[in-house]
Amino acid sequence: MVLRWSGAAVALGLLGVALLALPFRLYAVQTGSMQPTFGPRALVVVHRGEPVVGQPISFTHHGGVITHRLVSVDDKGGYRTKGEANETADPWVVNPSEVIGGVVWSVPAAGYWLVYVKQAPGWGSALLAVLGLSLLWSIARELDGPSEPAAPDLTPAGAAVLMPVDQPAS
């Protein structure tokens, strides 16, 4: 049992390291400025790298992360962006150093869960849920019994079972 839990902990640790090493980041869309493409609470998967005009991009702005569509690149290399639901382009120019990357995938309403598990109570409750489900699974498997019927014991009552001397008992 301890070995199983240790293996699961190591696997989760390796998964975490692998996710940090990949060129993708996850963000939650906070507002409706990108509707109908992304609604509030959508999860967006952002690929770090050079964005393309017409692609939604995520970038930092005043300490937050914004996801808007890249509409043009000015002659100084600055990016002009616009939210899909906004009537005009954003009043600021995004510097290339502020760009996190381009959005390559989204999942509606999954951003809510990302925000939830990034907080200590959310992370703790998710961990407890996984541990609880694992415990319930173990109990259910034990109650279910062995998957194959055991071979019947054909040894007569009171008979001694002898092992050859040159073979160790298993």
Side-chain angles (χ1 to χ4, degrees), residues 51-153:
V52 190
V53 172
Q55 178 182 31
I57 64 171
S58 292
F59 55 92
T60 58
H61 184 71
H62 293 296
V65 175
I66 296 176
T67 299
H68 279 177
R69 190 167 299 278
L70 174 58
V71 292
S72 66
V73 180
D74 67 20
D75 55 348
K76 296 178 184 172
Y79 296 140
R80 300 293 302 191
T81 57
K82 178 184 178 296
E84 309 240 323
N86 300 342
E87 295 199 15
T88 60
D90 297 331
W92 57 79
V93 175
V94 179
N95 292 323
S97 63
E98 298 171 316
V99 174
I100 299 166
V103 176
V104 293
W105 194 49
S106 70
V107 181
Y112 171 81
W113 295 106
L114 177 67
V115 171
Y116 179 71
V117 297
K118 278 188 168 183
Q119 300 170 17
W123 186 86
S125 66
L127 180 64
L128 285 175
V130 169
L131 291 174
L133 288 173
S134 176
L135 180 62
L136 286 174
W137 180 262
S138 297
I139 291 170
R141 289 192 62 180
E142 285 181 23
L143 292 176
D144 193 27
S147 58
E148 295 181 20
D153 185 10

